[in-house]
Amino acid sequence: MGIDDLKRLFDLAKDCRVLLCGDTGQHASVARGDALRLLENHSDFKSGQLTHIRRQRKAAYRKAVELAAQKRTVEAFAQLERMGAIVESSNDNLHDKAAQSYLKVLAENQSALLVAPTWTEIEAVTEKVRAVLKTAGRMAGEEKEFQVFDSLSWTEAQKRDVRQYRPGMAIQFHRKTGSFVKDESVQVVAVENDSVKVQRADGAENLLPLWAGAACFDVGEKRKLKLAAGDKLLLQANWRKKFVNGELVEVRAIQGDSVLLADGRVIPENYRTFTHGYAVTSHAAQGKTVDEVLVVASSRSLPAVHQQQFYVSISRGRERCQVFTDDTELLRSHVTRSSARLAAVEVLPRVHRQKFVQNILQRGHRFLKRFRQRITQSVSTERNIHEIEPTHYEHQRKSARHISV
């Protein structure tokens, strides 16, 4: 949760009690400001801590997760190595190995989830997984192609920046703003000054001002996605209390332009914010639990690997974790890097920070003192002017009367 969102929450809560729960060792919010971590480390609020991990059932695996939670990542990585959980393979068959391991877990009637650092890696391993599932007969029937909305996950600042937009991009509204209604989808056709010109479903073109309403829409691209019965999907947007962003579902059948899910729900033709759900990013994996988690991190994706990403990725499993990489030593060096963002209050060391705050307070005090002096002098000067002017005027009046007589 970012600082702006937390402020909105506090404004809504007013006099109500607010209970914040989370793990500041995992991913921070996409929006600016690590609100929960700042409250935990730099406020007078008291916080409790859960120290016993219950998800991991095997002691050795649980130990690795405990070390990662304590930010002792090098030790956590070494523990996984001792468990035989780090699998190094050439880049050519890395994704094949991960896909075969995924199929093996399913054959044992257990749940599995692949976690990768980037969407490029996710698409590569998803292609291999769907191929082995088809071969094994776990995906049946003809595939059908759907046009889906692929969010770019922009922040509000990015959405207000006209330089970010290109013709052909898609904009999807999740709240009403101006003449645009909830669930409406439009296409960018041109960029004009501080607005973008968009084309609506009926062909009409309108200007969308970016300075207001950025929180009401999402920006992305349209792409083709093939689906078949047996596919797993990741839902990427909330919709009318029927679908939840981040939910993993399974396709039972394709019915025209609708998708029938295994749980009986139906994805209608006006909901197209989903993708294949075999592999997800560590952000999407937060809060999920499976029997076995399979982490894929090739050297091409290592720039996106860091301490928090590694901790979230390896901790999703109950029974087992496997990490697939083509360079163990390079991966080991990346998992020690933290992605924590420094706030202004954290830039300076504690001793200098206290002096910095004191200096600001002292400067503020001196400024107010000079400001009061100037105000006093100004008021005094005005009073003198008002006292002098009437006296001068009375003198003139008396002189005039004397001359007149």
Side-chain angles (χ1 to χ4, degrees):
M1 179 179 287
I3 290 176
D4 292 337
D5 290 332
L6 186 63
K7 182 183 181 301
R8 292 191 195 102
L9 175 63
F10 284 161
D11 289 341
L12 287 171
K14 295 182 180 178
D15 297 329
C16 299
R17 182 188 181 197
V18 178
L19 183 64
L20 301 173
C21 302
D23 186 348
T24 54
Q26 297 190 22
H27 285 295
S29 64
V30 175
R32 66 185 179 93
D34 303 342
L36 187 59
R37 184 178 62 81
L38 292 175
L39 284 177
E40 187 177 62
N41 297 336
H42 302 287
S43 75
D44 295 329
F45 291 116
K46 302 298 180 183
S47 60
Q49 187 174 10
L50 299 176
T51 56
H52 184 66
I53 295 177
R54 298 180 181 276
R55 178 182 285 143
Q56 285 72 42
R57 294 170 179 171
K58 296 179 180 179
Y61 182 19
R62 185 165 58 248
K63 179 66 175 177
V65 174
E66 287 172 349
L67 291 169
Q70 296 165 12
K71 297 181 173 61
R72 296 160 62 184
T73 320
V74 173
E75 296 172 67
F77 196 92
Q79 176 68 12
L80 290 173
E81 283 185 303
R82 287 191 290 271
M83 294 163 48
I86 308 295
V87 180
E88 184 172 319
S89 179
S90 67
N91 195 37
D92 294 336
N93 64 355
L94 180 68
H95 299 140
D96 288 302
K97 276 196 170 184
Q100 290 295 338
S101 295
Y102 182 87
L103 181 62
K104 183 181 177 182
V105 176
L106 296 186
E108 296 171 353
N109 292 321
Q110 291 190 316
S111 58
L113 181 67
L114 288 148
V115 182
T118 65
W119 280 104
T120 301
E121 189 100 71
I122 286 171
E123 289 169 2
V125 73
T126 294
E127 183 180 353
K128 298 294 184 181
V129 169
R130 295 186 80 241
V132 299
L133 291 176
K134 288 176 185 176
T135 304
R138 287 182 170 269
M139 290 175 57
E142 293 292 325
E143 289 185 330
K144 180 169 181 176
E145 196 170 67
F146 290 83
Q147 187 177 62
V148 297
F149 176 81
D150 195 3
S151 172
L152 294 172
S153 301
W154 283 359
T155 63
E156 288 191 25
Q158 287 175 302
K159 286 187 280 186
R160 292 192 186 100
D161 186 356
V162 70
R163 297 170 299 178
Q164 301 282 342
Y165 292 84
R166 298 289 182 273
M169 286 182 170
I171 297 177
Q172 194 157 288
F173 294 88
H174 46 80
R175 274 190 288 180
K176 184 183 184 302
T177 177
S179 64
F180 300 96
V181 298
K182 182 179 178 181
D183 296 331
E184 184 176 1
S185 182
V186 298
Q187 184 178 13
V188 177
V189 294
V191 178
E192 299 182 1
N193 299 323
D194 292 331
S195 302
V196 294
K197 181 181 286 186
V198 298
Q199 187 177 60
R200 309 179 91 152
D202 60 0
E205 295 184 352
N206 295 86
L207 286 178
L208 172 64
L210 302 178
W211 54 269
C216 300
F217 61 83
D218 194 11
V219 183
E221 297 171 337
K222 293 291 181 71
R223 66 183 179 93
K224 302 292 185 181
L225 187 73
K226 291 182 178 180
L227 295 184
D231 258 323
K232 288 191 182 297
L233 302 180
L234 172 68
L235 306 184
Q236 296 178 301
N238 299 327
W239 190 76
R240 300 183 181 179
K241 299 182 180 181
K242 293 183 179 180
F243 302 124
V244 179
N245 184 17
E247 194 176 357
L248 289 171
V249 297
E250 183 177 342
V251 177
R252 178 186 293 174
I254 308 295
Q255 297 179 339
D257 291 329
S258 299
V259 181
L260 177 62
L261 301 180
D263 59 12
R265 289 179 295 173
V266 177
I267 296 180
E269 57 183 328
N270 59 340
Y271 180 87
R272 288 293 179 264
T273 314
F274 55 78
T275 188
H276 291 128
Y278 303 103
V280 298
T281 62
S282 52
H283 284 88
Q286 287 187 129
K288 291 179 173 51
T289 300
V290 291
D291 293 318
E292 183 166 342
V293 63
L294 308 167
V295 183
V296 183
S298 68
S299 54
R300 290 177 296 183
S301 297
L302 289 183
V305 175
H306 48 76
Q307 188 180 78
Q308 291 77 8
Q309 189 272 344
F310 181 71
Y311 168 41
V312 173
S313 299
I314 67 169
S315 60
R316 300 304 95 196
R318 294 189 193 93
E319 304 293 343
R320 194 179 178 198
C321 167
Q322 288 190 80
V323 180
F324 297 86
T325 183
D326 56 352
D327 195 325
T328 301
E329 293 308 314
L330 198 56
L331 177 60
R332 189 198 310 273
S333 67
H334 275 77
V335 299
T336 60
R337 301 176 184 178
S338 175
S339 67
R341 303 172 294 190
L342 291 178
V345 72
E346 298 171 311
V347 173
L348 297 173
R350 182 173 292 276
V351 175
H352 297 299
R353 193 186 311 152
Q354 292 174 348
K355 292 181 180 178
F356 177 71
V357 173
Q358 289 175 355
N359 286 337
I360 289 180
L361 292 174
Q362 290 171 358
R363 288 180 183 178
H365 177 72
R366 289 196 296 269
F367 170 79
L368 289 174
K369 186 177 180 180
R370 289 196 296 268
F371 182 73
R372 291 193 189 100
Q373 289 174 347
R374 289 178 182 176
I375 291 294
T376 302
Q377 291 172 358
S378 176
V379 171
S380 176
T381 302
E382 288 182 3
R383 285 177 179 172
N384 290 337
I385 291 172
H386 286 305
E387 288 176 359
I388 291 171
E389 285 181 346
T391 303
H392 182 64
Y393 177 70
E394 288 296 329
H395 174 71
Q396 287 181 334
R397 288 180 63 190
K398 287 179 181 179
S399 299
R401 285 175 183 173
H402 178 70
I403 292 171
S404 175
V405 171

